[in-house]
């Protein structure tokens, strides 16, 4: 925020088109690129489902060095694996959003 207004610029992130729900349309993995959205432990990531005009946030995934789409599906969406500095984390879609999976329960 600068003088009460957002200073965010489109170049601060990059969108990676992916089809998470096999509907033939792009969903988006959004990777932080600005210095406030990255660090030595990776970048901040967000996951959006739907077309550009109607995309909805389904995960504020957190900081990771990479995000991998797994072959397993839950709720019609592919599971995601965050490769984070503190260890890999699996995200699973349920009830309209991605949530982390407890490795002990998986």
């Amino acid at each position: 925020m600068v003088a009460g207004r957002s200073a965010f610029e489109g170049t601060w992130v990059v969108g990676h088109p992916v089809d998470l729900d096999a509907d033939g349309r792009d969903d988006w993995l959004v990777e932080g690129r600005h210095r406030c959205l990255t660090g030595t432990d990776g970048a901040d990531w967000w996951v959006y489902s739907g077309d550009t005009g109607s995309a909805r946030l389904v995960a504020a995934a957190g900081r990771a060095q990479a995000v991998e789409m797994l072959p397993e599906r839950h709720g019609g969406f592919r599971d995601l694996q965050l490769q984070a500095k503190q260890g890999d984390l699996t995200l699973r879609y349920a009830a309209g959003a991605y949530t982390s999976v407890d490795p002990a329960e998986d």
Side-chain angles (χ1 to χ4, degrees):
M1 302 293 284
V2 175
R5 299 186 68 193
S6 173
F8 179 85
E9 295 182 22
T11 59
W12 290 15
V13 296
V14 64
H16 303 279
V18 295
D19 188 359
L20 295 169
D21 55 0
D23 66 357
R25 296 179 301 191
D26 287 336
D27 301 299
W28 298 90
L29 292 175
V30 177
E31 176 185 4
R33 289 286 176 95
H34 187 270
R35 70 180 177 272
C36 70
L37 302 173
T38 63
T40 59
D41 54 349
D44 291 332
W45 291 84
W46 298 267
V47 183
Y48 289 87
S49 175
D51 296 332
T52 303
S54 64
R56 63 186 173 85
L57 180 67
V58 293
R63 186 132 316 172
Q65 294 163 335
V67 177
E68 178 184 355
M69 292 181 16
L70 300 175
E72 295 84 9
R73 292 182 182 275
H74 290 87
F77 285 72
R78 290 179 65 170
D79 289 358
L80 301 173
Q81 184 171 32
L82 276 63
Q83 298 168 1
K85 190 173 187 175
Q86 66 275 16
D88 291 350
L89 175 67
T90 300
L91 300 179
R92 184 168 290 157
Y93 188 85
Y98 277 95
T99 57
S100 60
V101 175
D102 182 347
E105 296 176 11
D106 196 26

